[in-house]
Amino acid sequence: MRAIVIYESMFGNTHAVAEHIAEGIETPSAQAFQATVIGLHDALPERLMAADLLVVGGPTHVHGMSSERSRAGAQDMAAKDDDLELDPDAEGEGLRDWFATLAGDAGTGRFAAAFDTRVHGSKLLTGQASKGIAKRLASHGFELVLASESFFVDKTNHLETGEVDRATVWGHRVAEAARAAI
């Protein structure tokens, strides 16, 4: 079976998490999944049709999914901070725009899971992009196999210690849940 992990990333954190989720999906004990990681701009409808499992993630901006304005703000932040580097796929449209291009029934008969990256803190204070991602996946007919998950960055926009390992474990759990739901 095929899994596709789609990410939107500004500073590379969500991209790194996506790579490790795919690694977890492909662990031998998860059985039968081949995972491909693609940036949002390569997530064309015809590629999605080949997937049995879709895992989608993005950064949390202003309590939810990024917007054109918040992405521009992140690009400005990177231009002013030598310690921040934009992900190669940072420019262009975000997940909100991408979901608007999907057919209403794009996920019918297929499984999905959602994740995000955000500052470590209460969801009430930070928000959680994965909540909106999961809602949109469900509205397109995908069956969510696990509750959405957040992976944490520090206040300088770098992944906290241990988050890539946690992403690998979560990817494995997603694959097991999808396999069990078949």
Side-chain angles (χ1 to χ4, degrees), residues 33 38 45 107 118-119 122 144 149 154 161-162:
F33 276 102
I38 57 175
R118 64 183 175 93
V119 174
S122 167
L144 297 169
E149 187 69 35
D154 60 25
T161 302

Side-chain angles (χ1 to χ4, degrees), residues 5 15 23 25 35-36 46 52 65 70 82 94 96 101 104-105 109 117 121-123 132 139-141 147 153 156:
V5 182
H15 186 166
E23 186 179 298
I25 289 171
T36 304
E46 56 271 13
D52 303 295
M65 288 186 288
S70 70
D82 291 338
R96 292 175 194 264
T101 68
D105 62 350
T117 52
S122 167
K123 293 178 208 174
S139 75
H140 285 286
V153 298
T156 63

